[in-house]
Amino acid sequence: MPVVDVHPDELRQLTGHDDKSDQEFKDDLFALGLEFEGETEDGAFQLEFGPDRLDRLSVEGVARSLRYQYGDARGVYVPKTNDPDFTFVVDEDVPEERPYVTGAVIRGVDLDEDALDSLIQLQEKLHATMGRKRAKGAIGIHDLTMIKGEVLREDTSGNSITYTGVDPQGDTFVPLDGDREMTPAEVLDEHQTGQKYADLVGEYDRYPAIYDELGLFSFPPVINGRRTEVSTESRELLVELTGTDQWTIDRMCNIVCYALDARGATIEEVEVEYPDRTAVRPDFEVDTKSVPHERIETMLGVDFEAREVVDLFERSGLDADVNVDDARDDAADQSDTVYEVSIPPYRVDILHPLDLVDDVGRAYGFNELEPRYPNVGTVGGRHERSRLEDAARASLVGLGFEDMLNFHMTSEAEVHDRMNVEAGSDYLGGGDPARITGPYSEDYTILRTWALPSLAMVLENNTHRAYPQDLAEIGLVAERDDSVNTRVRERRHVAAVLARHDATFEDAKGRLQALCRDFGVELETPATTHPSFIDGRVAGVRIDGDDVGVVGELHPRVLVEHDLELPVAAFEFNLDALR
Amino acid sequence: MRLPESQVAVLNAASATDEQTIDSLADETGLKPETVTQAAFELRDEGYVAVSEEERVEYDLTDEGREYVEDGLPEVRLYRAAVEAGATEDAVGMGQVIGASGLGGPEVDIALANFGRKGYGQIESGQLSADADADAEDDPESVVLTALEAGEAVVDEGVLEQLVSRNLVERHEQTVRSVTLTEAGVTLLMEGVEAAETVDRLTPEMLTSGEWEDVEFTEYNVEADAPEVNGGKTHILRQTADRVKDVLVGMGFQEMEGPHADADFWINDCLFMPQDHPARTHWDRFALDVPPIEDVPEDLVDRVEDAHRNGVGDDGDGYHSPWSEDFARAIALRGHTTSLSMRYLSGHEVGDLEPPQRYFSVEKVYRNDTLDPTHLLEFYQIEGWVMAEDLSVRDLMGTFEEFYAQFGITDIQFKPHYNPYTEPSFELFGRHPETGELIEIGNSGMFRDEVLEPLGVECDVMAWGLALERLLMLMYGFDDIRDVHGTMSDIELLRETEVLR
């Protein structure tokens, strides 16, 4: 979940609530769903929240939410914008993998250190979330005064910049934190930031690039050029975003513009000229959705009057129109009331009218609701499989076994090599395991094919503990099996080991017999071979005529492999046999 | 009167006038000293004898001391050889005397050191001279050693100390107990006592023959520790799971069951998780190297894809994210058991469900988290949901308050939260019953229309989940889950772990 650093002093300044204590802010923020996780060295709150309200990824957005919560602001707010002066021309050479661009011009900015830090943080946080680590959308912010716009056409006075594609070995520029001219390919090879994001564009024939009259100045989504670097001295900014989805970058752009507007800047539109169409950005269009009054009441379990609901919407930064003329009359029947709710363009989380009901609930205060136990009767019960497993576990514990719980993930070395079993053999445990694609650790590469190897590992890790060690486990084992719908055959196995100085076949079989007696099934143990066990001291477990497992004395080779210095008798079989 | 055999023997042997030690009573009765001691204490407790205690010091020869009784002290042997070699007249070469004495090894140093100390002569520049007046044959240390060997009493404390420091004698302190008959004891004897047979173990023969009626059972030291016994025990995490299942079944929940390896379709797509959601990237899940799922209900796939792309309802919007059926069909280990909820809600597990319904599971899930004391790659998730007409957030709150109250967690707070699959969503916080701290105890919400509509569910469903391990740690004070779950488990810790109640 995203974490945003917000300094309480800045919150006081931006909300105008100078008198709020740190603790009051923390409580108010918790009510908004922002959890206080800790403090930075300079006293900023580290706030964690769900990745829905991405407009709160900066102190400006958090302050805006607080102002609504405090009732200082109401309803939808849309910043005023000036008409476009700049044009973003999208060239036909733009890489087809990253065709979209948007942006804005920002004038009259006065960035102190805190505001600049906040802007950079917002940019990074948006990259990490909506931008999907810049793959889906990336933001570049530039000092506008360092950009020399080209005159677009003779008949216009406008300035333009061009979003296009560049040959990886083509034009050069000095990247941020760089000290020399580099080609885009060199940036990916040699520059620290370039290396980090190389995978995003490495496969492209032409790399995304933005030009002004002076040449290449930005290499999205990797890095900006040093020429247009933003500082506290910057008074005018150019914001550009490129990505794989227009809606996504437009919304990211809106969140940035709202934050700068909160700092007193003026937003100026830009024209985006695609080969086949033209658009004006940023897109501050207000969306609407219809929310029935009844849905709000049933979802929250509270009876509302229409004017209360409208008030709650406005306190959430939304506007609501009511479809019924007399709906605001307290006595009115609200069964047909529907709210036409306006949604400001920085909200990226409203997919469905339900999301607006949630806003009403938050504004009302969910913790104000009186809990009630739902008045519906149902009959509870355990699943047959889990009842069987518990019954078998109770029998094993009664026989003196310590009940173990091991991981289902392990390695082929553990289930095969170290147990002396050849992979792909017909022996119990020898089956083809379900392998993890690109495993992260060599200890966890497959699902275990049988359970005895896990118990052998527990014995191996407890040789310093008192004997006898009688251990049992009932748990999942799995094999790859393409005839199963999910391609993995999952079974529950019963496995047990008796590690004692005088352990013999009979110790294992005796307990197996007792277990089978508990479940009223018939046990036979025909002689067999299994490479994990000593020949002549191993038998198949045949229950009610089905071959379901193996019982015997573990082979010395297996014991020595696990650093065990005493005999171990063991059995393992399919739990379903006890049904 | 009947008394145990040993007590009768001690009574008969004891005297009212002379103290007798335990050892002498043992000699006289032919019983072991410890048996006599026990009998004496038992008689004393009845008032028949008095037992007095005296601390005694005894000296025993060490092996070395016994050797010297036999061979003579090394310095005495050296003196004899020196006299023989004429060292009482003129100094003789040391090597010659030692050679003649037959001393060897460490004995030589011992001899030389004590030779000087006792004034038997002098050693200068390798020449040894002996004092003709020395009385080595009556050496006091020799005399005492010989007396101790013969069991005679020795009173010369100085010489004894010297011998202790030479490690030829060991000093022991011992409590010597002596027994005398009391008046009650004398009276009892005059009235006559008979010996009752005492037995160590009750045998089947005694029971069948009736002999048990005439025997006394020897008393055990019932306060002493018995040898360790390790019985079997249900794993602590299983016990916790059983406790949770008990509570949920009691609240009317049915248990779900389903595959650990499943299609992403059931694990994520049905849950309205966009395919480019960070939790669906390679790093967070365990994809399996197997072919895609063979069969998913095609009409359901279409509806789920439509929900992702276009949303549901007149005013619904979809995600601005890519969606592909291939990705949905890929098999992975489930990252949550909500995949089971999806299977059940879809009607493909146990048939179409009519409200009301309550379902739960306490099953394993797999996540590539950072390993730490509270996180493993595999853990148990408690998952539950309630399906009914017109459920509200208040019903959700009431259900969870009831559930957590069963574990002593009260004062539940609901923090508004975001999940892609529920709205409204809440993180649940509660007061730790011991520390009073506000702690996160679960995640919950009402399933979104985008989840329910494609599944064909036309009423409300509220759901919640939390890690079983978290409950174990909070309620029962475990602090490192790695000690009990997995092949690194410590058997000793499991044996010592208290059971839940």
Side-chain angles (χ1 to χ4, degrees):
Chain A
M1 290 208 294
V3 176
V4 62
D5 296 346
V6 167
H7 204 288
D9 290 342
E10 287 218 285
L11 278 183
R12 286 185 194 100
Q13 186 202 327
L14 287 163
T15 59
H17 284 262
D18 299 338
D19 51 338
K20 285 270 180 188
S21 70
D22 284 9
Q23 188 55 48
E24 283 173 302
F25 272 135
K26 284 177 198 170
D27 293 342
D28 297 341
L29 291 165
F30 188 88
L32 281 177
L34 294 137
E35 196 181 340
F36 176 80
E37 288 283 297
E39 269 178 35
T40 62
E41 269 176 26
D42 61 354
F45 296 169
Q46 295 172 303
L47 302 172
E48 189 187 61
F49 62 103
D52 53 339
R53 292 297 300 270
L54 299 176
D55 56 295
R56 292 171 176 162
L57 281 172
S58 70
V59 65
E60 296 87 358
V62 173
R64 179 173 54 240
S65 291
L66 282 174
R67 284 172 48 77
Y68 281 119
Q69 187 189 20
Y70 296 153
D72 300 338
R74 300 182 73 84
V76 172
Y77 168 73
V78 180
K80 289 197 172 46
T81 52
N82 290 341
D83 290 342
D85 182 35
F86 259 81
T87 303
F88 290 8
V89 178
V90 184
D91 192 81
E92 288 188 344
D93 276 349
V94 147
E96 59 181 11
E97 300 91 338
R98 202 174 181 88
Y100 301 108
V101 65
T102 191
V105 163
I106 316 289
R107 305 228 186 238
V109 184
D110 182 12
L111 296 173
D112 58 12
E113 287 287 348
D114 289 340
L116 184 59
D117 286 350
S118 172
L119 183 60
I120 292 168
Q121 175 179 239
L122 176 60
Q123 187 181 355
E124 285 173 359
K125 300 287 178 186
L126 282 171
H127 281 159
T129 51
M130 270 192 103
R132 305 287 192 239
K133 297 179 178 160
R134 303 192 190 186
K136 200 171 185 179
I139 309 163
I141 303 176
H142 308 271
D143 188 330
L144 183 68
T145 55
M146 302 308 292
I147 291 172
K148 188 162 170 24
E150 293 176 272
V151 175
L152 180 57
R153 280 183 298 274
E154 305 235 330
D155 59 336
T156 67
S157 60
N159 295 312
S160 76
I161 58 168
T162 305
Y163 178 42
T164 183
V166 60
D167 186 314
Q169 317 288 347
D171 293 335
T172 61
F173 71 114
V174 182
L176 281 178
D177 304 319
D179 51 10
R180 64 183 174 86
E181 296 272 335
M182 297 169 106
T183 64
E186 284 173 332
V187 169
L188 299 192
D189 266 357
E190 297 163 31
H191 191 284
Q192 206 183 343
T193 311
Q195 288 162 349
K196 191 172 169 191
Y197 295 101
D199 288 350
L200 294 179
V201 295
E203 303 283 300
Y204 294 8
D205 294 334
R206 295 174 69 78
Y207 292 167
I210 303 177
Y211 283 74
D212 66 355
E213 195 180 327
L214 302 177
L216 175 60
F217 70 92
S218 184
F219 174 21
V222 179
I223 197 161
N224 293 352
R226 209 168 121 180
R227 162 156 61 96
T228 60
E229 183 170 2
V230 176
S231 72
T232 51
E233 307 298 313
S234 304
R235 291 291 169 268
E236 304 192 330
L237 307 178
L238 180 116
V239 179
E240 46 82 6
L241 295 94
T242 62
T244 57
D245 179 68
Q246 184 76 52
W247 182 91
T248 302
I249 56 175
D250 280 338
R251 294 296 157 128
M252 290 167 75
C253 182
N254 291 350
I255 291 171
V256 173
C257 287
Y258 265 80
L260 287 164
D261 174 73
R263 293 280 181 183
T266 305
I267 314 293
E268 181 179 300
E269 292 174 339
V270 299
E271 263 187 18
V272 181
E273 217 177 273
Y274 287 102
D276 56 347
R277 65 189 187 281
T278 301
V280 174
R281 290 293 185 263
D283 178 8
F284 283 168
E285 195 184 312
V286 173
D287 192 14
T288 61
K289 288 193 192 302
S290 304
V291 187
H293 182 90
E294 264 194 322
R295 188 75 173 124
I296 298 173
E297 289 192 338
T298 58
M299 181 57 85
L300 301 181
V302 177
D303 291 337
F304 286 110
E305 283 157 15
R307 55 181 180 77
E308 281 181 282
V309 175
V310 171
D311 176 63
L312 292 168
F313 275 127
E314 287 177 1
R315 277 165 51 195
S316 309
L318 305 162
D319 281 328
D321 282 335
V322 191
N323 66 329
V324 183
D325 286 342
D326 64 351
R328 285 167 204 255
D329 190 339
D330 285 0
D333 170 17
Q334 306 291 2
S335 56
D336 293 325
T337 303
V338 174
Y339 304 93
E340 193 71 7
V341 180
S342 304
I343 303 154
Y346 58 82
R347 290 294 295 270
V348 298
D349 58 315
I350 309 290
L351 299 181
H352 190 277
L354 259 180
D355 296 308
L356 298 166
V357 178
D358 182 57
D359 272 21
V360 172
R362 289 183 192 230
Y364 181 80
F366 281 117
N367 281 299
E368 301 299 312
L369 299 179
E370 184 75 28
R372 67 174 177 213
Y373 195 77
N375 186 23
V376 290
T378 53
V379 177
R382 298 283 293 271
H383 194 277
E384 181 194 3
R385 197 272 304 157
S386 99
R387 286 205 316 272
L388 175 66
E389 190 178 316
D390 274 12
R393 184 170 291 117
S395 286
L396 286 165
V397 166
L399 289 167
F401 287 105
E402 189 75 37
D403 177 37
M404 301 304 295
L405 188 59
N406 286 306
F407 298 138
H408 298 157
M409 289 188 286
T410 183
S411 70
E412 283 182 77
E414 295 294 348
V415 298
H416 291 149
D417 307 353
R418 300 190 72 216
M419 296 301 289
N420 201 30
V421 173
E422 211 170 303
S425 59
D426 287 338
Y427 300 113
L428 184 76
D432 190 16
R435 292 183 179 78
I436 293 160
T437 310
Y440 318 104
S441 154
E442 61 184 25
D443 295 335
Y444 306 107
T445 58
I446 60 162
L447 287 177
R448 63 181 182 186
T449 54
W450 59 324
L452 275 181
S454 307
L455 293 179
M457 288 167 79
V458 176
L459 290 177
E460 180 179 20
N461 290 322
N462 281 278
T463 51
H464 57 303
R465 296 305 189 194
Y467 288 101
Q469 294 178 6
D470 299 346
L471 316 177
E473 176 171 11
I474 302 177
L476 184 89
V477 303
E479 277 178 16
R480 166 142 180 205
D481 184 343
D482 288 356
S483 72
V484 175
N485 192 34
T486 56
R487 317 298 186 176
V488 178
R489 184 170 297 281
E490 300 177 11
R491 294 190 180 95
R492 304 272 164 167
H493 272 197
V494 180
V497 291
L498 295 131
R500 18 175 92 207
H501 294 282
D502 53 357
T504 67
F505 178 85
E506 281 195 335
D507 293 317
K509 183 172 171 182
R511 283 162 179 81
L512 184 57
Q513 283 171 184
L515 190 58
C516 287
R517 202 167 52 232
D518 280 353
F519 286 83
V521 293
E522 192 192 334
L523 172 71
E524 292 168 85
T525 54
T528 187
T529 58
H530 188 293
S532 301
F533 296 87
I534 299 172
D535 277 350
R537 298 182 178 195
V538 54
V541 174
R542 185 176 291 166
I543 292 177
D544 286 346
D546 292 328
D547 291 316
V548 292
V550 65
V551 53
E553 292 179 20
L554 283 186
H555 198 284
R557 197 173 297 141
V558 173
L559 299 178
V560 170
E561 170 63 34
H562 289 87
D563 288 336
L564 298 174
E565 295 176 348
L566 77 182
V568 175
F571 61 80
E572 172 161 348
F573 67 95
N574 190 344
L575 173 69
D576 277 348
L578 298 182
R579 271 218 273 229
Chain B
M1 174 156 194
R2 293 174 86 97
L3 285 176
E5 213 167 6
S6 58
Q7 291 184 29
V8 174
V10 169
L11 272 180
N12 283 324
S15 146
T17 49
D18 296 326
E19 281 198 338
Q20 273 179 286
T21 63
I22 295 290
D23 282 346
S24 68
L25 285 171
D27 281 349
E28 201 172 326
T29 58
L31 297 170
K32 290 184 196 155
E34 51 268 33
T35 311
V36 173
T37 306
Q38 197 190 341
F41 279 128
E42 285 161 357
L43 288 167
R44 181 194 64 184
D45 291 347
E46 298 298 325
Y48 299 134
V49 301
V51 179
S52 67
E53 296 187 348
E54 189 191 344
E55 293 299 323
R56 274 197 204 160
V57 180
E58 290 190 353
Y59 294 91
D60 286 326
L61 294 186
T62 64
D63 288 347
E64 189 182 352
R66 259 188 293 281
E67 220 171 275
Y68 295 159
V69 172
E70 193 96 340
D71 301 341
L73 287 164
E75 64 270 22
V76 173
R77 288 156 63 191
L78 184 68
Y79 181 78
R80 285 185 195 133
V83 171
E84 198 93 339
T88 44
E89 308 291 325
D90 296 307
V92 180
M94 201 166 71
Q96 183 196 336
V97 180
I98 289 169
S101 71
L103 293 167
E107 285 180 340
V108 177
D109 285 338
I110 295 169
L112 292 173
N114 290 299
F115 186 83
R117 174 172 68 83
K118 290 184 176 172
Y120 288 174
Q122 275 158 352
I123 301 159
E124 255 173 63
S125 323
Q127 299 288 308
L128 187 145
S129 55
D131 183 348
D133 297 335
D135 184 8
E137 294 314 315
D138 286 329
D139 183 284
E141 291 180 16
S142 290
V143 170
V144 169
L145 280 178
T146 310
L148 286 175
E149 173 76 348
E152 293 164 17
V154 172
V155 287
D156 193 334
E157 291 285 332
V159 175
L160 282 168
E161 283 312 306
Q162 185 64 40
L163 289 170
V164 168
S165 77
R166 285 187 70 175
N167 204 25
L168 303 180
V169 164
E170 277 171 359
R171 181 190 163 98
H172 299 287
E173 284 178 15
Q174 210 181 7
T175 305
V176 176
R177 298 196 175 86
S178 303
V179 178
T180 44
L181 280 178
T182 60
E183 264 179 52
V186 172
T187 311
L188 182 67
L189 273 177
M190 291 197 302
E191 287 167 357
V193 283
E194 270 180 69
E197 189 188 349
T198 66
V199 296
D200 191 33
R201 279 170 190 276
L202 182 61
T203 63
E205 291 75 30
M206 285 180 204
L207 289 169
T208 50
S209 67
E211 190 190 340
W212 60 271
E213 286 189 279
D214 295 322
V215 300
E216 287 273 340
F217 295 96
T218 42
E219 287 178 22
Y220 296 149
N221 179 358
V222 292
E223 289 176 6
D225 283 339
E228 286 292 328
V229 174
N230 291 309
K233 194 191 296 176
T234 303
H235 194 277
I236 184 66
L237 208 50
R238 296 275 189 204
Q239 293 181 42
T240 315
D242 286 345
R243 174 93 176 81
V244 171
K245 290 179 183 185
D246 273 355
V247 166
L248 287 170
V249 168
M251 289 171 71
F253 285 76
Q254 286 265 0
E255 192 173 17
M256 298 183 288
E257 158 81 7
H260 292 239
D262 207 351
D264 245 43
F265 180 75
W266 294 111
I267 304 172
N268 284 313
D269 290 286
C270 282
L271 275 176
F272 199 52
M273 294 275 283
Q275 291 195 344
D276 65 351
H277 191 279
R280 298 188 66 173
T281 57
H282 167 72
W283 274 101
D284 277 286
R285 59 200 272 274
F286 292 102
L288 293 181
D289 187 15
V290 296
I293 194 165
E294 187 176 17
D295 188 34
V296 275
E298 270 315 314
D299 50 338
L300 179 56
V301 172
D302 291 344
R303 291 197 299 269
V304 167
E305 175 175 358
D306 191 54
H308 278 251
R309 291 194 187 281
N310 305 313
V312 302
D314 294 340
D315 267 353
D317 296 323
Y319 286 122
H320 299 267
S321 297
W323 198 91
S324 96
E325 190 174 330
D326 286 349
F327 191 61
R329 282 174 170 267
I331 306 284
L333 295 175
R334 63 189 180 203
H336 45 215
T337 41
T338 319
S339 56
L340 303 182
S341 303
M342 295 300 104
R343 282 173 167 273
Y344 275 71
L345 283 169
S346 76
H348 288 272
E349 262 336 290
V350 286
D352 284 337
L353 298 175
E354 291 300 321
Q357 301 284 346
R358 287 185 174 91
Y359 272 91
F360 81 98
S361 74
V362 183
E363 282 290 332
K364 227 172 206 187
V365 298
Y366 307 80
R367 282 187 210 171
N368 190 29
D369 260 332
T370 314
L371 289 176
D372 64 33
T374 59
H375 290 96
L376 297 174
L377 301 182
E378 302 178 13
F379 61 93
Y380 282 85
Q381 183 186 337
I382 304 169
E383 161 102 5
W385 50 266
V386 180
M387 171 204 251
E389 303 285 357
D390 290 336
L391 282 175
S392 77
V393 169
R394 291 175 56 197
D395 297 307
L396 175 150
M397 293 173 162
T399 298
F400 302 150
E401 283 203 339
E402 194 60 45
F403 174 76
Y404 288 106
Q406 301 290 320
F407 298 90
I409 307 173
T410 53
D411 191 17
I412 307 287
Q413 291 192 33
F414 296 83
K415 193 186 88 167
H417 185 58
Y418 168 73
N419 298 312
Y421 40 90
T422 52
E423 185 82 320
S425 311
F426 304 97
E427 278 187 321
L428 307 175
F429 287 75
R431 296 256 169 234
H432 191 289
E434 306 284 317
T435 65
E437 197 187 345
L438 200 61
I439 41 171
E440 191 192 329
I441 50 171
N443 188 354
S444 68
M446 315 287 291
F447 275 134
R448 294 184 68 96
D449 288 9
E450 292 92 332
V451 174
L452 295 179
E453 253 192 56
L455 293 170
V457 176
E458 286 168 358
C459 57
D460 294 321
V461 180
M462 64 193 206
W464 89 109
L466 81 154
L468 178 67
E469 282 81 349
R470 186 158 187 88
L471 199 59
L472 171 71
M473 292 174 144
L474 291 176
M475 298 306 92
Y476 307 110
F478 267 82
D479 39 48
D480 194 338
I481 200 68
R482 292 170 292 194
D483 288 340
V484 294
H485 189 176
T487 52
M488 295 304 289
S489 294
D490 183 347
I491 290 179
E492 196 67 20
L493 183 70
L494 288 173
R495 284 172 173 163
E496 287 172 359
T497 300
E498 287 180 30
V499 295
L500 298 192
R501 59 265 184 186

